Amino acid sequence: MTSSFHPPQRTLMGPGPSDVNPRILEAMSRPTIGHLDPLFVQMMDEMKGLLQYAFQTKNELTIPVSAPGSAGMETCFVNLVEPGDTVIICQNGVFGGRMKENVERCGATAIMVEDEWGTACDPAKLEAALKAHPEATTVAFVHAETSTGASTDVKTMCDLAHAHGCLTIVDAVTSLGGTELRVDDWGIDAIYSGTQKCLSCTPGLSPVSFSPAAVERIQNRKTKVQSWFLDLNLVMGYWGQGAKRAYHHTAPINALYALHEALVLLKEEGLENAWARHAKHHNALKAGLETLGLSFIVPEADRLPQLNSVSIPDGVDDAQVRGILLNDYNLEIGAGLGVMAGKVWRIGLMGYACRKDNVLTCVSALGEVLGRVGVDVDAKKAMAATLSAYGE
Ligand SMILES: *Cc1c(COP(=O)(O)O)cnc(C)c1O
């Protein structure tokens, strides 16, 4: 007989999913009701307001797409891009490459502006590309590159795009709830995020938001959106105001309870406080990791607090160390992605996982395991440095 699945209690300090707050798991287990039930519809309306707060936007079209971050990405591209369009993509890691895939599958041309992995996107390169491609309609880039831990200056990039008549698509999957993000002030026209990174919710939903200019473009398309499921002209009918709501697809009801709870938690803490918490614990983790001899690959000014990429010491077996951490400490840290595979560890400090006890666990476990595999480390000194960063 096959029996129920009971996963272990892990500490998730990788690139996502992050530790889920128990309040969110509890919310998810509440009774399922109909997705057109008036009380459910009321919850959805409230969620829209909570998402507007999280994104710092007044955008009316602010909703969770019923699928993970990758579907949020696809929602932005298939709705804003038409066959024959030109889209400038600034790439500094894995996720920019996925944007290119999206653009090409829309029948459009992607102009790639490449920056070295581990650095921010360079606005000067974007400006040169905008001048060289006056036919471009859209600029896309990642705010927080989870593959490297680099942060890009969104406002400067958006200002340049607008000065050249382009709309902007921004990937905020890892930034939402973890670092400063202001959709309206920064001029973002289309943004997508995820639930399982700094919102500390279960994976599977993608909050998105579209500016009035983006909505106007969507409503005036020459061609139908290639995806029926992600066509916002249809989805808007479902997420529209109260009585007008029409069946489009069955909302993932319990997953939406979870996201609602995650957003209530964010509101209770306060956005600025959440950003400050990520910065504080990053500083303590940094002190510990650097004392263990692990160096950050991203220059300090562009570093994300919620995703810490450090070089793996020479001669150390990446998979062996991560395996010991998982098996002996129930601690998950991330491997390198793409060209960074085998070269870096990605240590996440996202949402509910971004806590002092996790930072201390991580520094002490890494110190012990690195010593065990033969690296000359002073684990005691690393712990002292971490505590000292907390003022102790
Ligand atoms: C995780 C992530 C995605 C993809 O999100 P999924 O929920 O895994 O589909 C996209 N962009 C960035 C920057 C991410 O970190």
Side-chain angles (χ1 to χ4, degrees):
M1 266 273 283
T2 309
S3 56
S4 308
F5 177 62
H6 291 280
Q9 186 70 53
R10 307 273 204 214
T11 298
L12 301 181
M13 297 182 73
S18 60
D19 284 350
V20 177
N21 189 305
R23 259 177 66 181
I24 295 172
L25 290 175
E26 187 271 320
M28 212 170 182
S29 69
R30 290 176 197 155
T32 303
I33 59 176
H35 70 118
L36 296 173
D37 186 307
L39 290 175
F40 186 73
V41 169
Q42 199 180 315
M43 188 278 286
M44 283 165 77
D45 283 340
E46 198 177 294
M47 169 125 67
K48 203 192 249 180
L50 288 164
L51 277 177
Q52 286 169 330
Y53 169 70
F55 276 131
Q56 292 289 287
T57 183
K58 295 193 170 67
N59 289 340
E60 183 57 30
L61 184 53
T62 302
I63 59 170
V65 172
S66 301
S70 303
M73 177 187 282
E74 193 139 349
T75 300
C76 291
F77 285 97
V78 298
N79 281 278
L80 290 179
V81 179
E82 294 201 61
D85 284 356
T86 297
V87 178
I88 297 176
I89 296 169
C90 300
Q91 179 176 11
N92 62 341
V94 165
F95 292 98
R98 292 191 175 182
M99 289 178 156
K100 178 170 189 268
E101 276 291 324
N102 270 270
V103 166
E104 289 173 350
R105 283 162 199 243
C106 291
T109 302
I111 304 296
M112 300 305 290
V113 177
E114 311 264 354
D115 273 293
E116 207 178 306
W117 289 33
T119 66
C121 295
D122 181 356
K125 286 190 190 168
L126 169 60
E127 187 165 29
L130 284 161
K131 283 179 178 155
H133 295 278
E135 78 282 13
T137 62
T138 310
V139 168
F141 58 93
V142 178
H143 178 202
E145 235 317 332
T146 323
S147 60
T148 64
S151 175
T152 282
D153 176 355
V154 176
K155 183 166 191 306
T156 302
M157 302 281 281
C158 289
D159 285 349
L160 283 168
H162 290 156
H164 291 265
C166 289
L167 295 188
T168 52
I169 296 178
V170 176
D171 177 321
V173 175
T174 282
S175 54
L176 185 68
T179 33
E180 184 177 12
L181 171 62
R182 301 181 187 277
V183 168
D184 290 357
D185 289 354
W186 292 356
I188 300 169
D189 292 296
I191 189 163
Y192 59 92
S193 189
T195 43
Q196 77 277 27
K197 312 239 172 156
C198 294
L199 294 181
S200 266
C201 187
T202 46
L205 293 173
S206 177
V208 296
S209 184
F210 294 84
S211 72
V215 172
E216 194 187 321
R217 183 188 285 181
I218 295 166
Q219 288 172 339
N220 291 293
R221 287 176 60 101
K222 295 187 286 290
T223 56
K224 265 190 177 180
V225 171
Q226 75 201 56
S227 162
W228 175 84
F229 185 66
L230 300 176
D231 184 346
L232 286 169
N233 290 299
L234 306 175
V235 175
M236 277 186 262
Y238 181 62
W239 277 91
Q241 290 304 319
K244 286 201 293 336
R245 206 169 298 247
Y247 170 66
H248 176 260
H249 65 277
T250 308
I253 294 156
N254 293 58
L256 289 167
Y257 298 165
L259 177 57
H260 183 274
E261 191 70 18
L263 294 167
V264 166
L265 280 159
L266 184 63
K267 189 92 192 273
E268 280 175 11
E269 179 176 18
L271 256 189
E272 280 83 2
N273 293 334
W275 299 338
R277 175 169 52 84
H278 284 85
K280 173 177 130 181
H281 295 297
H282 158 77
N283 274 329
L285 180 68
K286 176 176 81 130
L289 295 177
E290 286 180 340
T291 310
L292 287 173
L294 302 172
S295 47
F296 279 73
I297 64 161
V298 175
E300 188 146 19
D302 301 330
R303 237 174 249 168
L304 289 166
Q306 65 272 51
L307 199 285
N308 299 267
S309 283
V310 291
S311 300
I312 299 173
D314 285 343
V316 169
D317 182 338
D318 166 30
Q320 185 195 8
V321 169
R322 283 185 297 105
I324 298 175
L325 290 172
L326 192 67
N327 294 320
D328 289 358
Y329 291 90
N330 269 316
L331 173 63
E332 178 179 281
I333 65 167
L337 258 194
V339 297
M340 302 273 178
K343 300 196 179 103
V344 302
W345 286 316
R346 291 180 301 151
I347 304 177
L349 273 179
M350 299 183 179
Y352 184 62
C354 182
R355 308 195 306 265
K356 185 177 175 186
D357 55 331
N358 280 358
V359 170
L360 297 180
T361 299
C362 181
V363 171
S364 105
L366 255 178
E368 187 278 313
V369 176
L370 285 174
R372 204 194 300 186
V373 301
V375 184
D376 181 19
V377 289
D378 190 338
K380 219 172 143 186
K381 197 169 152 205
M383 188 51 87
T386 311
L387 287 167
S388 147
Y390 281 121
E392 289 171 28

